[in-house]
Amino acid sequence: MITVLFFAQLSESAGLREVRLDASETQMSVRDLADKVVVELPKQLALDLFDGTVLVAVNKKRADWDTRVHAGDEVAFLPPVAGG
């Protein structure tokens, strides 16, 4: 299983903060995982997730959309943060 975490507006769009997905595919990237997630969750999440500004972390380390994920990994999707 892969644990997928959503933060801020992504959590609101998904209607939940965390989901666990089967990791039976051996060659799955973060992008593949995101594609799998949006099939199972609300359409608004797809719009928010793929808007080009979402950051990704795998096992609490910054990653990119081509990073490979494996069973036992934790993948977090983080929207951009504005501050001032």
Side-chain angles (χ1 to χ4, degrees):
M1 299 296 270
I2 295 175
T3 301
V4 181
L5 303 174
F6 305 103
F7 290 90
Q9 82 240 25
L10 296 177
S11 177
E12 293 172 21
S13 295
L16 47 80
R17 182 178 157 107
E18 178 180 315
V19 65
R20 293 176 189 259
L21 296 176
D22 179 34
S24 60
E25 298 174 43
T26 56
Q27 294 294 318
M28 189 176 354
S29 68
V30 169
R31 187 177 319 283
D32 296 332
L33 179 68
D35 287 341
K36 192 171 184 175
V37 165
V38 298
V39 167
E40 299 180 23
L41 296 174
K43 296 287 185 224
Q44 182 60 43
L45 177 63
L47 296 174
D48 291 345
L49 197 58
F50 294 110
D51 77 353
T53 63
V54 172
L55 300 176
V56 178
V58 176
N59 299 324
K60 299 184 174 139
K61 293 182 181 173
R62 177 79 165 89
D64 62 43
W65 287 82
D66 295 321
T67 300
R68 295 288 176 204
V69 293
H70 310 283
D73 284 348
E74 176 186 272
V75 178
F77 293 103
L78 306 110
V81 178

